[in-house]
Amino acid sequence: MLGDTTSNDRQGRRALILVENLSVPFDRRVWQECTTLRDAGWQVHVICPQGVKRDTEPEAEIDGVRIHRYPLRAATGGPAGYLREYGSALWHTARLARKVGPVHVVHACNPPDLLFLPARWLTRRGARFVFDQHDLVPELYLSRFDRGQDLLYRGVCALERMTYRAADIVLATNESYRDVAVRRGGKRPEDVFVVRSAPQVDRFQPVEPEPELKNGKPHLLCYLGVMGPQDGVDYALRALAKLRDEVKRTDWHAVFVGSGDAFDAMVELSRELGLSEQVRFTGRIPDADLVRYLSTADVCLSPDPHNPLNDVSTMNKVLEYMAMGRPIVSFDLREARVSAGDAALYAPANDEAEFARLIAQLLDDPEQRARMGKTGQERITGQLSWQNSQRSLLAAYAAACGGRTPVASGGPARSGRRPRR
């Protein structure tokens, strides 16, 4: 059993995890947190949106975790679309939170920095509030919309401040985010815990390479991940065009796995660059197919450009490439170096020509590729393993609940203000 409390202390403890931007268990980080807490004796409930092709049931109990889902239409059409999305999500979250009833911990995962609002009904009844900061929303706004520090930017900064103020404990995905919570959020260092995301090693087990996936070429390049405006797929495509035209290399085939709101634009860009014969977009695919591509890939691509968000964010795809023992080419970002270390080569920020040159360097050096792949796997099973994050997560929950009287499951709601720390 995980954790350092006795089974009697854990009996009946209830946690409610709030998620808005992904369904569960599709959100792998949230699911790992759910199962870690479950194994430590917590009764875990989750409120999240319904998925489109999976996680579609309104109610589900999976491996002892109770999941409550609501319908949600993703934002389109600018700020008004986000207002509709977030308004609907907050209403459904508040409705379902009342259905779940009193809990000891309400654990809100951003974005958006709005979930402290439906959590108030629970915190006023004695729950402790844990803020799980998956993204820095002000930096996300600057990086995604390129509108500068306008009125909406000031609004998201205000919401971040309110979320920090409401939080008893903050979970940060890396040391850069922890520094923001302390410096910008005014949190005490002892109230901020680094809980790094980590790939599920049992999901990312290499299999025998399949040369036919290389489409008749000697080498396969692979991108895995979301395709949004800030994710750099356009940088990767322009770098591949330079690999063909300037480095004079055509001995490769590339596959881009994943989806997002820039997917169609990226397919069109590949056509404009004359890459349609050498680049394939798969969309989202089953895990088994994903593992086949990654096991066959010679080089994996992490083209996230340098911007206020990417420089301080941990990229899940980098960790997943490492788990599969693949060498990586990345732009030189602060947290990319923290995660990958010597498992990646780093092009100067947003330098597509150097990115292309480093791909060619790795294609010419199978021994270097093997060394880098081994380094990545060792880091994932060592210092970056989920086991280390589990200990930090449980320490955060222990700090949140320290000295607190448990809320009776289903018992009468308490009124009045939360006790001050």
Side-chain angles (χ1 to χ4, degrees), residues 195-243:
V195 179
R196 292 185 176 277
S197 297
Q200 291 179 291
V201 177
D202 58 350
R203 180 186 177 216
F204 290 94
Q205 288 293 323
V207 298
E208 281 297 312
E210 300 181 29
E212 58 270 23
L213 296 179
K214 298 183 178 185
N215 199 33
K217 300 290 185 177
H219 302 294
L220 179 67
L221 312 177
C222 189
Y223 171 91
L224 162 65
V226 176
M227 299 185 190
Q230 74 276 14
D231 294 305
V233 176
D234 54 335
Y235 284 81
L237 291 171
R238 288 191 294 266
L240 293 181
K242 291 179 185 298
L243 181 63

Side-chain angles (χ1 to χ4, degrees), residues 74-314:
T76 57
Y82 283 96
L83 287 174
R84 285 192 297 272
E85 175 188 337
Y86 294 155
S88 174
L90 292 177
W91 184 83
H92 283 294
T93 299
R95 172 180 63 83
L96 291 170
R98 289 176 178 268
K99 177 180 176 181
V100 171
V103 296
H104 301 88
V105 171
V106 56
H107 173 154
C109 306
N110 83 332
D113 289 338
L114 287 166
L115 293 177
F116 72 94
L117 293 171
R120 280 180 171 172
W121 184 80
L122 295 166
T123 57
R124 287 172 177 168
R125 285 153 179 79
R128 301 294 265 177
F129 182 49
V130 171
F131 174 37
D132 192 350
Q133 191 164 29
H134 293 189
D135 280 307
L136 300 177
V137 175
E139 282 80 0
L140 176 62
Y141 179 84
L142 291 175
S143 302
R144 183 180 178 89
F145 296 108
D146 195 27
R147 294 164 58 112
Q149 297 185 9
D150 61 1
L151 180 62
L152 285 175
Y153 171 79
R154 294 193 291 274
V156 297
C157 288
L159 290 171
E160 183 190 67
R161 287 194 298 271
M162 286 187 276
T163 301
Y164 279 134
R165 193 175 304 127
D168 297 294
I169 295 292
V170 174
L171 307 183
T173 57
N174 57 40
E175 292 291 345
S176 294
Y177 278 30
R178 182 179 187 274
D179 178 67
V180 170
V182 173
R183 173 178 47 81
R184 191 165 80 198
K187 305 306 294 181
R188 301 185 306 171
E190 60 267 32
D191 291 336
V192 185
F193 292 77
V194 175
V195 179
R196 292 185 176 277
S197 297
Q200 291 179 291
V201 177
D202 58 350
R203 180 186 177 216
F204 290 94
Q205 288 293 323
V207 298
E208 281 297 312
E210 300 181 29
E212 58 270 23
L213 296 179
K214 298 183 178 185
N215 199 33
K217 300 290 185 177
H219 302 294
L220 179 67
L221 312 177
C222 189
Y223 171 91
L224 162 65
V226 176
M227 299 185 190
Q230 74 276 14
D231 294 305
V233 176
D234 54 335
Y235 284 81
L237 291 171
R238 288 191 294 266
L240 293 181
K242 291 179 185 298
L243 181 63
R244 177 196 61 197
D245 298 335
E246 298 179 11
V247 187
K248 306 300 183 184
R249 296 291 294 263
T250 59
D251 56 343
W252 51 270
H253 177 65
V255 60
F256 285 74
V257 178
S259 188
D261 51 9
F263 181 89
D264 291 340
M266 295 303 99
V267 173
E268 178 58 31
L269 178 60
S270 72
R271 292 194 190 102
E272 293 172 4
L273 294 170
L275 291 170
S276 298
E277 295 300 315
Q278 284 188 269
V279 173
R280 182 185 176 208
F281 290 84
T282 69
R284 288 179 178 164
I285 58 177
D287 283 357
D289 291 332
L290 168 62
V291 168
R292 291 169 56 229
Y293 280 113
L294 290 178
S295 297
T296 306
D298 297 286
V299 177
C300 286
L301 310 179
S302 183
D304 307 87
H306 185 282
N307 60 38
L309 178 69
N310 290 345
D311 192 44
V312 295
S313 296
T314 299

